[in-house]
Each structure stands twice: as C-alpha cells, then as structure tokens.
Amino acid sequence: MTARRATGHPAPDTKPVRPYRYLLLWAELLAVSWRRAPLLTAMQFVIPAAMATAVIGGALALRVTVDAMIRGDAGGAVAGAAGAGLAGTAGIVLGALDSHTAGILIGRVAVLDLNPRVHRDITTLDGLEHLERSDFQDRLTLVRNAGWEIVLSLWSANGVLFAVLELTVMLLLLGTVNPWLLWLLVFAAVPLWFDQRGNSAIIRADLRAAAPIRRQRHLFDLATDPAAGKEIRVAGAGAELARRQAAAWDEAVRLRLRAQLVAAGWRMAGWLLFTAGFGAALVLVVHQAARGAGSAGDLVLAVTVAAALRQSVYTGVRYTTNVASAGRVIEPYLWLRDHVRAQRTRVGGSAPSPPRLRHGITLDRVGYRYPGATGPALADISVHLPAGSVVALVGEYGSGKTTLVKLLGKLYQPDTGRILVDGVPLDELETRTWRSRISATFQDFGRFPTRFAENVGVGDLPRLSDRERIAAAVREVDATALVDRLPDGLDTELDAALGGVDLSEGQWQKTALARAAMRPEPLLVLLDEPTASLDAPSEQEIFDRQMERSRRSAAGTNAVTVIVSHRFSTVTGADLILTLHHGRLVEAGSHRELVAVPGGRYATLYRIQAEAYAREGRRPTAAGAGGPEPDVHLRPN
Amino acid sequence: MAILGDVRLLAVALRAARAPLTVALALLLVLGALLPPAGAVAMAHLVGRIQSAVPADAALSAVALPLLVFVLVLVLGHVVDTAVAPLAFLATARVDGAHRARVAGLAAAGSTIAPLEDPQVRALIRAARADPENWTEQTPGAGAVAGLRLAGNLVGVAGGCLVLARYAGWLVPALLLPALLNGVLRQRDAARGIAVWRAGTLDGARGQRWQDVATSPAEGKDIRIYGLGAWLTARIQRHALAMEAPVWALLARTIPREAGQLLLVGVPLVAGYTVVAAGGAGAPVGSDRVVAATAVLVSGVAVFQALGWTEDLRVAVAAVGCLRATVDLASRLPTPDQGGASRPAAGTGPDGAARVRRVGPPLVRFEGVSFGYPGARRPVLDRLDLEIRPGELLAVVGLNGAGKSTLIKLLAGLYEPDEGRVTADGVDIAVLGAAAWRSRLAIVFQDFVRYHLPARDNVVLGRGDHPPDPVALDAAAADAGLEPVLARLPAGWDTPLARTVAGGVDLSGGQWQQVVLARAHYAVRMGAELLVLDEPTAHLDVRTEFEVFSRLAGNRGGASVVLISHRLSTVRHADRIVLLDGGRITENGDHDELVARRGRYAELFAIQARRFATGGRG
C-alpha cells in the first residue's frame, strides 16, 4: 500500500524572475502577435522607424533650409522647407497611426490569446489551492485581467529599443557638426538614469499605498452598498466610516506625494545637468559658426536635435517605466504558468468512472492538512461508504466535515492514504469524468452573476438552456413558488450589483440545490449544509425527496449520498452516520447504534437537540453557557 | 451649449484642489505652453545674429544675449515639466478624494435604504464612483487636470500664432484654419470613439463580475464539480469582445482617414514653409528673412499638434461622464442635510445615551403597516399589526420569503411603510427621527457587514457614533462567547479580519456570526434597548447555537429581544412567538399556546420535532 506523501504545497516562489524569462516571454508574445495579426505586428516596427526618420529628417531639412537661405540658394531653401513641412506632417500622422495600430494589436492579442489562456488556467486547474491560499489569490487578482499590460510590455520594450536607437542616431548627427558634441551622449544618460530612479521611487510608493487604497475602496463600497447600508445606519457608523475613508485616502496621497516630490527632484537634477552640458555644446557650435567653421544651419540643427533629444529621453523613460511596472503582472503570470504546469504533471489519472457503483467508496487512512496550517484538518480516516447508501457527517464546526466532502470531489488530494471508488484509487480516475458523475451543493455555493435559469442550468452544462429540465430541477427542490415570485421568472437577472434581483440567503440556497438536481445520474451526491437558511417545510421536503432519490438510485447508479448537517432531524434517517471531532473519525454507525453509545459524541449532540424539541424543552439559561469550547479553525493568512 | 456645461462641471470639480494649488498649476501650464514659441523667437534671433555677425567676425559677444535667453527657455521648460508632475498629482488626488467622499456621503445620506436599492441609482453610483476598472473610465481629478492642460495648450497656440503674425501674418489664417478644421474632424472621430466605448461599459462590468467568479473559492467549487472552466472562459471572452471589438473596428476605420491629415496638415504646412523659405508673399527681406523662416519653421507644426486630438481630451471627456452621473445621482438621492446617517454624536449631547437608557425599552407597535417592493406584484406586508413589549423575548416565525427581514427594516425605519405606522411608546418613529430612534436599537442582519478592519473595530462599530468603550468591548466579547476566537487571533483585538490586509485572517461563517453577536452585545452595553437578531445562528453547530442562546438569555439585561429563526427548538423558549404568513401576523402566543392551537406553528414545529419523537427513521 502506497501512502503517498504529497509534495503538493510548495512554498511560494519568492525569487525574482530572471531577466532571460522576460526575453523568452517577449519572444513568445511576438510570435503570438505575428500569428494573430502579421500586418499590424510588422507595423509596430515600421512606424517607429519611420517616426525616428521623420524627426531626424526634419532637423536635417531645417539645416538645409537655413543654410540655403543664407547662401541665397532659393531652390535649396524651398526644397529644405518642403522637407521640413513633410517631416512635421509625417510626425503627426505617424503618431496617430502608431497609437491606433498598437491599440488594435495589443487589444486583440490580450483578449483573444492571453486573457483566455489565463482564465482557462485558473478555472480548469484540478485543485482549489490557488484560490484558497491568500498569497496565491493575490497573484490571481493581479494576473486575471493583465493580458493588456503583459502584451504592452513587449511593445514598450520595443519602444525602449527604438528610443535608444533614435538617441544614438541623433547624437551621431550632432557628432558630424563637431565631434566634441558626442560628449552629449554622457549628458543624455544622466536624465535617463535619474528619471528611472525617480520612477522606481513612485512604483515603490504605489505598492506601499496599495493597503490604504484598498481600505478606502472597501469603506467606500460599504457606504454605497444597500445591504451594508442597513447596518451602518442602525449603528450610526456612517460618520465614523466616512472619517476613516478620508483618512485612508489621505494616507495614500501622502505616501505617493512624497514619492512624486522625490521623483521630481531627481528629474530636475538630471535635466539641469543635461542642460548645462547642452548649453556648453551650444556655445561651442556658436563659436564654430562665428569663426566660419560651421554654419548657422548647424546651430539650428543642434537646437532642433536637442529639443527632439528631450522627447526621445522622455519616451525612452516612459517605456522603461512601463516595462518595469509590467513586472508586477508578468511575475505572477509566469508563476501561474509554472504552477499550472507543475499541477498538471502531478495530477494524473485516466481511468474512466464506472457507469454504476457496485461496491462503494472506501477511505483508507486518509489525512489532509491545509497548506500553512499547524495541524491536520483530517487524520487517519478509514471507512467504507457502501454503494446506494446515505451517509451523514456530523461534528462541531472545524471538525473536518467540509474537508472530507471536498476530498471526495477531488478538490483536494489527500496528503496521506487514499480514496478508492469500487477499488480504483480516486487519483487514477480521470478528474473530469469523475466529477461529471457528482452532484454537489456546498455551504458557500456559487452565485453566478447571470439569470436564474443559467444559475440552475450550469449544474448540467449540456442542458444549460433546456428550460423543461431546469423547471423540473426547480420543482425537485420545492422552489417553484420562489420562481413564480421573481419578476421575470426563470429569466430574472440575479446580479444585484448590475441591477438584478437580490435573492435572500434561503432563496439562493434553493437555487444552488436546484443546480445540484440538474445532473441525471450521479454516482455521488454531496450536500454540505444545504438547508441552513431554509424554513422547516422546505427543508423537510428537500430531504424527503433526496432520500427518495437516493433509495431509487439503488436500482440505477447505486449512488452514495453524503450529507453534512447541523440539524439532527435531517441526519437520523441516514444509513451511516460519521461523527468527526478535531479531524478524526470518532464514531460510525446508524442512528440507533450511535445514540446507544454511553457518553458518545453523537449521543450528546443529539440529546441537546432532541431535548430542545421534547415536550418540556431544555431551556437555555445563563448557567448553561459554560460548555466546552467550540473549535476555532482559522485559515492561515 | 453642452460643452460649456461640461467645462463648468470640470471647473467646479477643480475647486476641491483649492485655489493656491490650482493657480500655481495653471500658471505653470501656461508658462510651459508659451515656452516653445518663446524658444522659437530666441532661436530665430540667435540665427539672425550669427548670420550678421559672421562677416564682422565679432564672435560670441554678439550672440551672448539670444544664446542666454535660449538656454534659459530650455531650463525653464525642464523646470516647468518637472514641477507640473507632483502638482498635477496632488490636484488630481484632492479632487478625487473630495469626489469619492461626496459620492459616499450622498449614498449614506438618506435615512431609508430604498433609494439605494433602486437599480438606476446603483448604476449611477457605479458610474460616479471614480474608481476606474478599465480604460473607458476616468476620474474627475484626472479630467480636471487634463482640462487645465488643454486650456494651457490653447494659450500655447495663441503664442505660436503671435510668433507667426510677427514674421508672416498671412500664415496665421493659412495654418490656423486648416488646423482648426483638422481638430474638428479629429474630435468628431473621437466623439464616435467615445460613444462606442461608452456602449461597452456594461459588458466591461459584466466581464469583471465573471472574472470575480473565476477567482473566487466559493464559485471555484461549482466550476470544478460542474466542469464550467471552458464555458466560463468563453463567457468572459464574450463580454470582453463585446466591449473591445467595436473599438477595434472603429480604430481600423479611422486608420485610412488619418491619411486625410496628410492633406489637411501637409498641404498648408509645406506650402507655407516653402513660400516663407522662397521669400514670397509678403515675407520679409534680407537677414530678417532667415530669422522669420526659422521662427516659422520651428513653431508652425506646434499649432497643428496642439489643436489635434490628444489624450488629455479623451480623459476630460470620460471624466465628464463620471461628473454627469454624480449630478444625476445627487438629484435622485436626498441631500446629506436631510439624512440621519451622519448623526451628531448621541444627537443632543453627552447625556444622550444615558438619557435614553433611563427611559427603558420601548413599547413598539406596528399599526396597520403595509409595504411592497417597487415593481412587485403583491405587497410583502398587508395591514400588519404587531406589538413588541418592553423587555420581552419575541420570536418571529415564518416561511422563507414571508417578509420577516422586511419587517425588521421597517422597524428600523430603513423603509417607510406604504400605509400605517410604526410607533415607539406611542410616537411615530418617523417623528422621533431616524438617529434618535436607531440609537435605541441593535440589529444583527442576516447579511451583516464584514469590515476589513481589526477585530476591535468590527465590534465597536456596532455603536459607531460613540467613542469606543474598552470596558463595554470586553464585556460584549464575554457576552457573545467570543474569547476563544479572540485567543486564536494572531494579534488579538488588533487582528484585521480580512486576509487582504497585512497580518489579517479570514474567519469562517460561524466565527463571523460570533463576532457580529459581540457587535450587537456591545451596542446593548452602550445603551441599545431593543436587540433584533435575524437568523443569527444558521451557520453555528448545535452546541454553539445552544450556548449563544443561553448567553443571550442571561446577558440581555433589560433589553427587549426580537429573534428570527427557523430553528424552532430555540424559538420555543421565547416569551412570545408570532407567525408571519401572507403579510400578517396569523398566530400569536407562547409555545405551549401555539402548539395547543394546532395551527401553522404547531405544524412547523411538528415537522422538525417528528424525527426526534420517533427516535430516528421518520
């Protein structure tokens, strides 16, 4: 027997991404862009080259014009002026073309290639770890809509390349006026470098300001949300929250303003140094022109180039900043790809699921520990869940019931032991087909921002728009009255944030139950506290039907039904009751067997509720408050 | 004219940046816009001096002044550019901070929440919140600063025209008119673009919501079990395409039209330049010709650049959209003055809370109260009569959707009755005033607030209009049995209850319910006399639920309690139970009375008790 020690919770990779990975990524993005839109891609090289040519050509044309006019060469002057006019026009038109073509290209590659890939990776990974670990969740938040920024980084890098090229050519041009002017190269590097320093101060401050900004946004959202508005009004907390919101905003502004001032200082220093060098260069050129060694045209050229030089340096710095800040999303993006690759190779399994259960599901010394948690959530669970049975999981909160349910759904991989479905290890079953035979309602079920019908229909995707099937699922869970009361029936929008109807907790629960009723022939039904917010008749109705369906399935798929519930009234009818405590299985048996255990956990918990319903009722008093501590299970940060 | 209204909106928004900053920024921007024409003039003079100095061999001294002026212009250009950045940042931040405070204030102002639930108001809040989710949205601060820049640009154009007028007056109309025409055409394209991307904002928002779903651990389980990954990816992409594809198509159509610029910009520019260079059409003669040509050639293009389509214009236009939404929002919501949300501390002074306490729990009556949600076919409450007696523990029972939560909202004055009234000790609560009445209430709503703030604040915000009271805080924690949860928090009371905050943790649903119970107990300790609990234990296990009610029974002091619960095992211990059905109270009495009556309550109780009675299979 191979009790597998999972290596599945790697510490988050905090090493910075190596530069070569950026280059590889850009090469890959370039290839993707080329496949997606070859013409637009080519234009991203042609247009900047043409723009640089226009700038340099314009400066040259000015020199020609001025020199020709001084010489009295009318033809030369006209030709030069025409060239200057054309260069200016080209600059304007090319600038517009550059932004249009880049806009289309970046948008298309981001929306059609990059973002879907990220979303598919996020939504089709087998496990939940990347969603439940806060450090992973932070990265997903950054990367989930970052396609645009990532593609932009490629063209920003390209822009840096062209800016440097343009700078070099312009300086060489100055060198033709006087070789001493080549020294301006050094002076041009100063603002480039200083600006960069200032910008990194801004990026750092933005990172630090993220926390107060998040707080401000949270408080703002609360202030404008009707649900939160109820409580805030009753508690009279509005003014206090407004004060905190303003304070959070001010804190963020203070942090960022300081960085802005620091950056302005660097920038100013850099440009003053450059201007000092440039002033000296001008004196040199003027001196040369006055001596007759150069022309007035040289001066015009030098001045025009100097002005253009500033523009190139600005452009270069802006692109460099884009590339630098894209690291914020590129690093989590590369992480996600690595994570997905690692997970996909780890989680295998290709065996098909059986058409019906013969034997049942067996847990063999199963244990699981949440990443970063101090103790195991489940330890050493061995039990057989017979085919065709209804199994109830009982225990106080934090005892591991939900974790067990998730293990059965292959949402987690056991750290120790294994789960066998009719003798076949669960990790050898193909995840997709296994899940296609599961029907599940979780405690924190999904609430999809779409119409009611789709919220139910996603329970069986091929029949997403099969209204009869959906109506049947609605009847199955006693939700017909609920649908009748919705303004647009099955077609009612449920996204309250965008103007849809706000369902109550109980109504949502019925929606989720209807979703779970969509699949026709499940092998495994998982119900994790499915009726906590429902009234008694609904709860009764739903459980009775579930029991009936489970019994019926014995003749068909012979499904196993697993129910987690705090309400013992719904538990007693189960074939097998498992009592969990601190992640261990402490009792297993039928209701009759377990109530008979003297001092047993199940018996005790059952008695508390049974007495509450008994003729006299157990009256809660202040004296009764000293019971055993409830379990406290914190998710690690 | 609409455009004047837009300019006014931006100007009003800019007030929040305060005058000294705005003036400094405006002066710098104007100065920055005037520098290029000034530079052109200085350079032209420099060239002229050199040209005339060459034969005289008089060298540097002759050109020292124009050279100095030119370098000064360069230095000033850098200084202005550099200084504008932090000032523009600060102005943007001030305007946006004030704007967000205003929108939040508007939303929080009304004493009822009905306006906030109006889908149109929610859409307006989304549009006005100035928290851009994508490139189609811009904040008022960014828009106001962009507006300042645009105004500066116009000054720059004027400066450029002055230079042209000085050397070749005929060039001003020759360049300015096509530049204006070009500008107008570009604006028209841009306006079309704005309409297209505005049309996509709803899809943008929907795409965002589906992305939330894709990364949420709750939906993540359904996505996996039901194999929704590919479907969801396609859904997100569908919305993204609906938002972006029209923009791409528009850009693609715009590209050939940019060629039109070649004519509008190129022809006058090339013609004007060549005429000046050739010395025709009124161009000056002699050495001045070189000066003039230089000045014209250097400043001509700038006129076209400044009047073309700029990013600043796009930002300003988008920001106007946000400001218009705010105006619309303000007209649909009550003004802050009327509201009771920002209640002055305890209303009447330091003795407020104490005075309220002395009064004792109120006698609350619902007198013929009817209420229906807008657009609903039938009212939720239909001429309902109900009494909440001082000091009693009253349980409200009913099926899902019977209107129990609505009843509570009416009790708190969060909705106004369509008919009838709610009174406290005989006085209509509308007369009492929302603030004064609510200071006597503590309510645990089903969808309570989870503040991403330290545990302490999560409790003391239960009475947000009083300074935090550490004694009441600890007492409330004890009342609610919160200590075991607190003991496990890494920084105790100071631990933020959200993992998105540094050092924070996420609590489970049951743990949150305990925090919120402590919040309610805190309010009671701070003087609330009527405690309302709406399904406070749905996610608690049997034992914890039992403890919660035991504590409640022991620690509520003299306060009245209204309890809503589906768990009839707890409800039965209430002093009085009422059944809400069909919008009215249909049964009223204690547990034994209601069971004896064999009505609906007895039926509901029997359903839950049956299995215990038969000891198993039932």
Side-chain angles (χ1 to χ4, degrees):
Chain A
M1 192 154 299
T2 54
R4 199 163 55 81
R5 213 340 117 190
T7 52
H9 311 313
D13 186 4
T14 48
K15 276 179 298 181
V17 175
R18 296 236 186 79
Y20 80 91
R21 295 209 59 187
Y22 276 74
L23 292 178
L24 284 180
L25 175 66
W26 287 333
E28 189 190 324
L29 289 175
L30 189 58
V32 171
S33 298
W34 179 258
R35 274 198 303 275
R36 177 60 63 194
L39 186 63
L40 286 172
T41 307
M43 282 170 102
Q44 299 317 300
F45 295 96
V46 174
I47 294 175
M51 282 168 80
T53 312
V55 170
I56 291 158
L60 283 172
L62 271 181
R63 173 163 77 174
V64 168
T65 315
V66 170
D67 283 347
M69 283 175 82
I70 292 174
R71 277 199 318 273
D73 169 7
V78 166
L86 281 177
T89 311
I92 290 178
V93 174
L94 287 170
L97 285 186
D98 189 37
S99 90
H100 296 341
T101 54
I104 301 176
L105 178 64
I106 295 174
R108 289 185 62 185
V109 174
V111 169
L112 298 172
D113 295 299
L114 226 56
N115 281 342
R117 177 173 174 178
V118 168
H119 298 144
R120 202 171 306 122
D121 280 352
I122 293 176
T123 53
T124 58
L125 264 182
D126 270 359
L128 287 174
E129 194 186 358
H130 62 302
L131 302 178
E132 292 186 333
R133 271 179 68 160
S134 60
D135 50 341
F136 289 1
Q137 178 66 242
D138 291 346
R139 295 174 200 196
L140 295 188
T141 311
L142 282 172
V143 87
R144 64 181 212 185
N145 203 15
W148 214 86
E149 214 174 326
I150 293 170
V151 185
L152 178 67
S153 77
L154 161 67
W155 300 113
S156 297
N158 185 48
V160 173
L161 209 67
F162 271 100
V164 168
L165 215 65
E166 193 179 295
L167 268 177
T168 314
V169 173
M170 283 195 278
L171 287 166
L172 289 177
L173 201 61
L174 286 179
T176 64
V177 174
N178 184 327
W180 280 98
L181 293 185
L182 284 176
W183 279 102
L184 278 177
L185 187 64
V186 179
F187 282 95
V190 173
L192 208 55
W193 179 46
F194 279 20
D195 249 28
Q196 199 45 53
R197 297 207 60 158
N199 275 325
S200 41
I202 290 178
I203 292 176
R204 279 198 308 274
D206 283 353
L207 282 178
R208 272 204 308 277
I213 285 177
R214 226 173 2 226
R215 189 163 66 241
Q216 194 274 341
R217 184 175 290 152
H218 168 65
L219 295 174
F220 179 89
D221 290 344
L222 287 181
T224 53
D225 177 48
K230 300 193 300 270
E231 183 172 338
I232 291 170
R233 279 167 174 76
V234 172
E240 172 64 14
L241 292 178
R243 193 189 61 73
R244 284 168 185 250
Q245 185 193 311
W249 181 269
D250 289 345
E251 185 186 340
V253 171
R254 251 196 320 279
L255 282 169
R256 298 178 65 194
L257 179 64
R258 201 176 307 140
Q260 288 279 345
L261 290 171
V262 168
W266 280 110
R267 194 171 300 146
M268 183 104 63
W271 284 109
L272 287 180
L273 278 172
F274 172 79
T275 317
F278 182 67
L282 278 187
V283 170
L284 191 69
V285 175
V286 168
H287 183 61
Q288 190 177 321
R291 272 198 349 237
S295 67
D298 287 346
L299 180 66
V300 174
L301 176 77
V303 168
T304 321
V305 166
L309 211 62
R310 182 168 73 169
Q311 204 50 55
S312 320
V313 171
Y314 275 163
T315 314
V317 169
R318 202 183 68 230
Y319 283 138
T320 316
T321 311
N322 281 354
V323 173
S325 52
R328 200 176 59 93
V329 290
I330 288 178
E331 304 206 352
Y333 173 71
L334 293 175
W335 166 84
L336 178 67
R337 284 168 50 157
D338 293 349
H339 182 73
V340 169
R341 200 173 303 129
Q343 293 290 310
R344 293 251 156 90
T345 51
R346 195 169 71 88
V347 186
S350 55
S353 300
R356 74 186 293 269
L357 284 182
R358 281 177 295 113
H359 185 55
I361 299 173
T362 311
L363 286 85
D364 176 20
R365 290 183 291 167
V366 168
Y368 182 78
R369 193 169 67 87
Y370 282 92
T374 44
L378 283 178
D380 208 25
I381 308 276
S382 294
V383 67
H384 177 68
L385 315 178
S389 67
V390 175
V391 181
L393 293 180
V394 176
E396 282 152 78
Y397 72 85
S399 57
K401 306 183 295 293
T402 298
T403 310
L404 186 57
V405 168
K406 288 178 178 171
L407 283 169
L408 291 172
K410 234 181 150 184
L411 294 167
Y412 299 143
Q413 297 265 304
D415 289 336
T416 59
R418 46 184 203 159
I419 300 171
L420 302 158
V421 177
D422 273 354
V424 182
L426 190 55
D427 44 328
E428 285 176 19
L429 290 182
E430 196 203 356
T431 308
R432 197 177 51 82
T433 53
W434 170 240
R435 285 184 182 153
S436 73
R437 304 298 305 279
I438 298 178
S439 187
T441 309
F442 292 94
Q443 213 181 115
D444 54 340
F445 48 82
R447 296 156 199 236
F448 295 99
T450 180
R451 287 173 292 128
F452 179 88
E454 282 199 326
N455 256 295
V456 174
V458 290
D460 192 15
L461 212 44
R463 284 186 289 177
L464 180 62
S465 38
D466 182 343
R467 295 177 72 89
E468 264 170 50
R469 181 73 196 95
I470 290 170
V474 165
R475 277 196 301 278
E476 191 92 359
V477 300
D478 191 31
T480 316
L482 155 66
V483 175
D484 288 344
R485 230 178 299 157
L486 291 175
D488 299 316
L490 286 177
D491 293 316
T492 305
E493 276 289 341
L494 298 188
D495 186 6
L498 293 175
V501 167
D502 216 348
L503 293 191
S504 75
E505 192 65 28
Q507 291 171 322
W508 265 119
Q509 216 155 47
K510 283 192 175 175
T511 312
L513 283 163
R515 182 184 304 155
M518 282 294 288
R519 279 194 169 152
E521 292 189 315
L523 294 178
L524 174 63
V525 178
L526 301 171
L527 299 167
D528 185 0
E529 287 204 52
T531 57
S533 303
L534 295 186
D535 53 55
S538 282
E539 182 182 38
Q540 177 74 18
E541 179 81 21
I542 286 164
F543 271 103
D544 285 351
R545 293 214 186 150
Q546 185 56 48
M547 287 295 182
E548 191 190 312
R549 207 165 6 181
S550 302
R551 305 283 174 237
R552 237 185 6 238
S553 90
T557 58
N558 218 4
V560 171
T561 304
V562 179
I563 299 178
V564 177
S565 180
H566 286 312
R567 298 201 201 173
F568 280 64
S569 53
T570 59
V571 165
T572 48
D575 303 300
L576 174 65
I577 298 167
L578 308 176
T579 312
L580 294 175
H581 186 60
H582 287 314
R584 289 181 182 271
L585 180 60
V586 290
E587 289 161 343
S590 72
H591 173 75
R592 271 175 217 288
E593 288 162 6
L594 293 187
V595 276
V597 177
R601 283 215 150 251
Y602 179 83
T604 311
L605 291 173
Y606 176 76
R607 207 154 296 127
I608 292 176
Q609 280 210 349
E611 281 175 14
Y613 284 105
R615 184 156 305 153
E616 277 311 304
R618 181 173 162 195
R619 183 166 285 271
T621 57
E629 269 184 28
D631 287 321
V632 178
H633 173 76
L634 293 178
R635 275 186 221 153
N637 181 15
Chain B
M1 250 173 87
I3 192 150
L4 285 181
D6 294 350
V7 170
R8 206 183 60 83
L9 278 178
L10 288 173
V12 170
L14 198 55
R15 266 190 223 151
R18 301 205 279 279
L21 176 63
T22 311
V23 170
L25 185 58
L27 285 179
L28 279 177
L29 287 172
V30 167
L31 181 61
L34 286 176
L35 285 173
V41 173
M43 180 157 130
H45 277 282
L46 196 56
V47 170
R49 290 285 175 87
I50 287 175
Q51 191 209 356
S52 49
V54 168
D57 212 16
L60 272 171
S61 60
V63 296
L65 186 66
L67 187 60
L68 198 66
V69 170
F70 183 75
V71 173
L72 196 67
V73 165
L74 275 186
V75 169
L76 269 178
H78 293 309
V79 169
V80 167
D81 268 4
T82 315
V84 159
L87 295 188
F89 166 80
L90 187 58
T92 308
R94 279 183 181 170
V95 172
D96 288 344
H99 176 83
R100 279 173 70 77
R102 170 154 187 255
V103 173
L106 279 173
S111 102
T112 71
I113 53 158
L116 278 190
E117 289 176 342
D118 177 356
Q120 274 180 315
V121 167
R122 300 190 76 163
L124 283 173
I125 288 177
R126 247 191 67 78
R129 91 211 127 130
D131 192 6
E133 248 171 19
N134 56 54
W135 54 274
T136 67
E137 301 173 337
Q138 289 292 341
T139 69
V145 169
L148 270 187
R149 276 186 214 277
L150 287 170
N153 275 358
L154 290 184
V155 175
V157 170
C161 287
L162 276 181
V163 173
L164 291 179
R166 163 82 179 71
Y167 296 106
W170 57 273
L171 256 184
V172 175
L175 290 188
L176 196 57
L177 288 180
L180 281 173
L181 180 60
N182 187 46
V184 168
L185 290 178
R186 299 276 83 74
Q187 313 296 12
R188 226 183 46 188
D189 277 354
R192 233 174 262 146
I194 289 165
V196 168
W197 54 251
R198 282 253 172 87
T201 31
L202 185 63
D203 273 298
R206 286 197 190 283
Q208 204 77 24
R209 298 279 293 115
W210 283 105
Q211 285 184 17
D212 290 343
V213 164
T215 51
S216 149
E219 277 78 11
K221 293 190 285 297
D222 292 73
I223 289 169
R224 278 157 187 78
I225 295 293
Y226 297 119
L228 305 178
W231 176 77
L232 190 59
T233 304
R235 193 41 94 88
I236 296 173
Q237 193 179 27
R238 200 175 83 195
H239 287 298
L241 277 176
M243 176 178 168
E244 303 280 355
V247 178
W248 303 335
L250 184 87
L251 283 178
R253 280 200 306 278
T254 314
I255 287 174
R257 273 214 295 282
E258 296 295 347
Q261 286 206 83
L262 282 174
L263 289 178
L264 263 176
V265 178
V267 170
L269 210 52
V270 171
Y273 280 12
T274 47
V275 170
V276 170
V285 289
S287 75
D288 279 356
R289 237 185 65 205
V290 180
V291 176
T294 311
V296 168
L297 264 59
V298 172
S299 54
V301 184
V303 173
F304 285 96
Q305 282 166 341
L307 287 178
W309 171 248
T310 65
E311 177 68 8
D312 284 329
L313 198 51
R314 193 184 75 72
V315 172
V317 169
V320 165
C322 171
L323 288 168
R324 282 211 199 118
T326 314
V327 172
D328 205 355
L329 183 68
S331 70
R332 284 164 189 269
L333 292 174
T335 57
D337 312 329
Q338 299 170 272
S342 53
R343 169 192 332 162
T348 48
D351 61 333
R355 198 195 58 225
V356 168
R357 191 187 286 280
R358 259 180 265 119
V359 177
L363 169 68
V364 179
R365 301 175 89 111
F366 283 68
E367 300 173 3
V369 170
S370 296
F371 180 81
Y373 287 95
R377 281 171 227 162
R378 54 192 178 81
V380 183
L381 302 183
D382 183 14
R383 280 163 291 155
L384 172 133
D385 293 309
L386 172 66
E387 204 172 73
I388 304 167
R389 296 164 194 158
E392 77 171 337
L393 199 167
L394 172 71
V396 180
V397 176
L399 300 186
N400 287 118
K404 304 183 294 294
S405 299
T406 308
L407 184 77
I408 288 177
K409 292 184 201 167
L410 283 156
L411 169 65
L414 293 165
Y415 292 140
E416 282 164 3
D418 296 335
E419 263 178 67
R421 56 177 203 157
V422 182
T423 63
D425 294 327
V427 185
D428 191 335
I429 58 168
V431 175
L432 283 176
W437 170 233
R438 287 174 189 160
S439 71
R440 303 173 72 178
L441 304 180
I443 304 184
V444 174
F445 290 98
Q446 229 174 340
D447 49 352
F448 50 81
V449 181
R450 296 157 193 235
Y451 294 108
H452 298 182
L453 296 172
R456 173 184 296 108
D457 296 343
N458 262 292
V459 175
V460 300
L461 281 170
R463 191 77 273 154
D465 46 6
H466 286 63
D469 180 337
V471 178
L473 176 67
D474 287 331
D479 291 348
L482 191 64
E483 285 115 335
V485 178
L486 274 176
R488 298 284 192 96
L489 292 176
W493 279 121
D494 294 317
T495 314
L497 300 187
R499 58 159 190 77
T500 51
V501 179
V505 294
D506 270 352
L507 299 185
S508 70
Q511 289 165 338
W512 263 114
Q513 277 186 334
Q514 289 194 300
V515 170
V516 175
L517 282 165
R519 188 184 292 168
H521 276 290
Y522 177 80
V524 170
R525 294 255 167 193
M526 296 296 283
E529 303 149 312
L530 174 52
L531 174 59
V532 183
L533 304 159
D534 189 358
E535 291 267 4
T537 58
H539 291 289
L540 296 181
D541 59 68
V542 179
R543 193 191 298 267
T544 317
E545 182 196 14
F546 183 75
E547 285 163 12
V548 163
F549 281 105
S550 302
R551 289 200 178 89
L552 198 64
N555 298 326
R556 65 189 167 100
S560 319
V561 176
V562 176
L563 169 68
I564 294 178
S565 177
H566 291 304
R567 297 201 190 180
L568 303 184
S569 56
T570 21
V571 162
R572 68 180 294 182
H573 300 295
D575 298 326
R576 200 157 59 88
I577 300 166
V578 293
L579 182 89
L580 184 58
D581 190 10
R584 297 189 192 191
I585 301 297
T586 52
E587 291 174 37
N588 176 3
D590 71 14
H591 174 75
D592 294 335
E593 288 166 18
L594 292 186
V595 168
R597 185 181 298 174
R598 293 169 182 277
R600 188 80 176 118
Y601 174 83
E603 207 178 305
L604 292 176
F605 189 83
I607 291 172
Q608 287 190 354
R610 195 176 303 146
R611 297 196 194 205
F612 294 103
T614 55
R617 312 252 166 189

